[in-house]
Amino acid sequence: MKKIYILLGIMLFVFTGCGKSIFEFTPSDEWETEWKRRGGYEKIVPYQKGFYYQNGENCFCYYDIDSKQSLILCNKKGCSHKNDSCFAKMTNFDLPVIHNDKLVFVNASGRVMVSNPDHTAKKEVFTILEKSQEEGMIVLVENYFSTDSHLYCNVSVMEHDERGELKTNEQRIYAIDWKTYEETEIARCNPEEYILEMISASNDVLYYSRQNALSELYATAETWTQEDYQEAERRTEVEVFRRCVKEPEEVLVKHVQNGYVVTANDVVGVLYAECAGTGYWSMKNLVQFQPSDGTEKELFTAQGQDYLSIGFAGANVLKLYYTESKTVDLYDLNSMQELDVDWEEDGQSTSAWKVPTGFAVPKETLVDGAVYEYGHDWKVIPY
């Protein structure tokens, strides 16, 4: 226990001690991406010499890579961290984004709160669509991420008339200026017709997708055969848009048929996966499209009965998991060069997150006689 207390003292000094904090803000050109979707024990938020995560007890924690120790970010004296009175409990909030040396938390109803890096001095700064909510509109924040200039939010909005009947049901994307809190609407749609997803953002540029919802088709999904699933695959269409907040309109970048968009930004263009035709969204090919010259290049193809599971291990790190051979490969998105990661035999987890000195993967931990993979302990594999 002495080591833990020493660590606690060191960490609190690092976070809040005298002098300038080691957490210094520097503007970034990195693209914030959908891989940073908030919530879940398998998600982390890299920061400085470690990363934030949510442990198995729903507490907000920081893992220090150098000491290989975790700290529950609660400064409540004598707290056992067992009930909702603990300051570190993630009740109603997901993992934060980081902006200007502050942690930014957004709850489902749009309350935006900021705190110091050690989770102290937490306060509310504004509410998304506050005026509309005061007038009776229901707002549900689906996803959010932050750049140096804007907080981008994907929200569902609903409004009922005097008889209690639904008169507004929309999905919208907003860019909120960090200096003025001004809200700029990027896109909106009827969720019965389309599905909006944010893909990536850098400063005042956002890439997002609009997919046909196929509501009339999915309404009968309980009785579907494999042929019906295959038909849904064939009819799926995704449009990729680029929108600069300073410009009045978006630009259509790519139309994808029978597949899904992996990512899109100004550096790599559009990466999308093509369905294998099984009806179960199994992926065979990963294709790169460059808007600058309209060229396409097939980057990866799974052979035989193998399929691709595609995700991210960081904002600029692509993760390919082959379902049959059960291998994991990591690639730098900007160069598409494979990263030389010294995976241990038991380290080929489907979750891997880029941190300052390597990749963090969940470590299997025995808790009360049960083995947990997520939310209790981590290990960092160097590269």
Side-chain angles (χ1 to χ4, degrees):
M1 290 300 295
K2 182 179 290 185
K3 290 183 179 179
I4 298 297
Y5 290 133
I6 291 174
L7 172 68
L8 176 62
I10 293 173
M11 292 292 288
L12 287 178
F13 175 78
V14 167
F15 281 128
T16 61
C18 298
K20 192 173 183 179
S21 168
I22 66 167
F23 294 109
E24 297 179 358
F25 169 71
T26 53
S28 173
D29 292 328
E30 184 177 87
W31 287 83
E32 296 293 323
T33 56
E34 180 69 9
W35 77 272
K36 288 183 177 178
R37 191 161 190 150
R38 308 302 147 205
Y41 299 141
E42 77 278 15
K43 301 291 191 285
I44 69 173
V45 177
Y47 195 55
Q48 299 294 337
K49 296 182 178 180
F51 52 86
Y52 298 100
Y53 71 99
Q54 177 183 342
N55 73 5
E57 284 74 44
N58 199 33
C59 289
F60 186 47
C61 303
Y62 184 82
Y63 182 89
D64 180 72
I65 294 174
D66 291 341
S67 66
K68 299 180 180 179
Q69 296 288 337
S70 293
L71 177 70
I72 296 177
L73 296 178
C74 170
N75 63 352
K76 183 179 179 182
K77 188 175 181 180
C79 184
S80 65
H81 315 304
K82 298 297 184 183
N83 54 53
D84 288 343
S85 66
C86 171
F87 292 166
K89 289 295 184 182
M90 298 292 290
T91 306
N92 299 324
F93 285 92
D94 290 330
L95 289 175
V97 293
I98 298 171
H99 174 72
N100 201 10
D101 205 17
K102 296 289 185 181
L103 301 181
V104 180
F105 298 84
V106 183
N107 76 353
S109 60
R111 290 176 59 212
V112 179
M113 305 190 73
V114 299
S115 79
N116 293 327
D118 62 348
H119 200 215
T120 60
K122 193 172 183 179
K123 63 179 181 179
E124 184 171 350
V125 289
F126 66 92
T127 298
I128 298 169
L129 296 177
E130 182 173 18
K131 185 177 180 180
S132 297
Q133 293 198 54
E134 290 174 351
E135 295 173 351
M137 183 173 287
I138 299 172
V139 174
L140 177 63
V141 177
E142 304 286 353
N143 190 23
Y144 60 96
F145 43 67
S146 176
T147 68
D148 291 345
S149 60
H150 290 84
L151 177 68
Y152 292 92
C153 302
N154 190 340
V155 302
S156 295
V157 296
M158 291 171 286
E159 189 176 14
H160 296 83
D161 61 21
E162 296 178 353
R163 295 172 295 179
E165 296 181 358
L166 190 64
K167 69 175 184 178
T168 302
N169 180 24
E170 294 179 333
Q171 188 179 8
R172 303 177 187 174
I173 294 177
Y174 286 94
I176 303 172
D177 190 293
W178 273 120
K179 293 181 180 179
T180 64
Y181 301 150
E182 179 182 356
E183 297 167 344
T184 300
E185 184 180 302
I186 301 296
R188 72 165 65 190
C189 71
N190 181 340
E192 294 294 318
E193 299 176 353
Y194 295 102
I195 301 169
L196 290 177
E197 290 284 354
M198 299 191 301
I199 301 174
S200 67
S202 180
N203 292 315
D204 55 5
V205 173
L206 173 73
Y207 280 80
Y208 68 94
S209 65
R210 185 178 67 186
Q211 177 181 322
N212 56 338
L214 299 177
S215 299
E216 79 290 348
L217 189 63
Y218 281 98
T220 62
E222 292 183 0
T223 60
W224 275 9
T225 64
Q226 184 175 1
E227 287 74 20
D228 293 319
Y229 284 102
Q230 291 172 328
E231 175 67 12
E233 271 189 12
R234 286 191 294 268
R235 291 177 57 184
T236 297
E237 300 181 26
V238 185
E239 296 173 306
V240 178
F241 295 93
R242 182 187 188 273
R243 170 70 188 274
C244 176
V245 179
K246 297 177 182 179
E247 300 295 332
E249 295 182 354
E250 72 279 1
V251 175
L252 176 62
V253 178
K254 177 65 178 174
H255 179 272
V256 176
Q257 179 82 35
N258 190 24
Y260 76 91
V261 175
V262 177
T263 193
N265 61 49
D266 286 351
V267 180
V268 301
V270 179
L271 293 186
Y272 67 94
E274 295 180 320
C275 293
T278 63
Y280 302 116
W281 293 99
S282 302
M283 298 298 158
K284 272 296 186 182
N285 303 314
L286 179 64
V287 181
Q288 182 181 28
F289 169 74
Q290 282 292 357
S292 58
D293 56 14
T295 58
E296 290 195 345
K297 179 181 179 182
E298 195 172 280
L299 299 178
F300 303 99
T301 299
Q303 303 297 326
Q305 297 300 309
D306 222 348
Y307 298 109
L308 290 173
S309 176
I310 304 168
F312 291 91
N316 293 310
V317 179
L318 183 72
K319 177 183 63 182
L320 297 183
Y321 176 70
Y322 292 84
T323 58
E324 185 70 19
S325 56
K326 301 189 184 304
T327 58
V328 177
D329 295 328
L330 301 177
Y331 295 85
D332 182 281
L333 262 181
N334 295 333
S335 64
M336 293 313 299
Q337 295 297 310
E338 185 173 2
L339 298 176
D340 183 17
V341 181
D342 184 21
W343 294 105
E344 302 173 13
E345 289 185 3
D346 63 342
Q348 293 185 355
S349 170
T350 56
S351 289
W353 304 96
K354 191 175 186 301
V355 292
T357 60
F359 289 88
V361 297
K363 184 178 180 181
E364 289 189 350
T365 306
L366 186 66
V367 179
D368 297 330
V371 176
Y372 292 85
E373 183 180 6
Y374 294 125
H376 289 273
D377 201 3
W378 296 84
K379 57 186 174 183
V380 176
I381 300 174
Y383 67 95

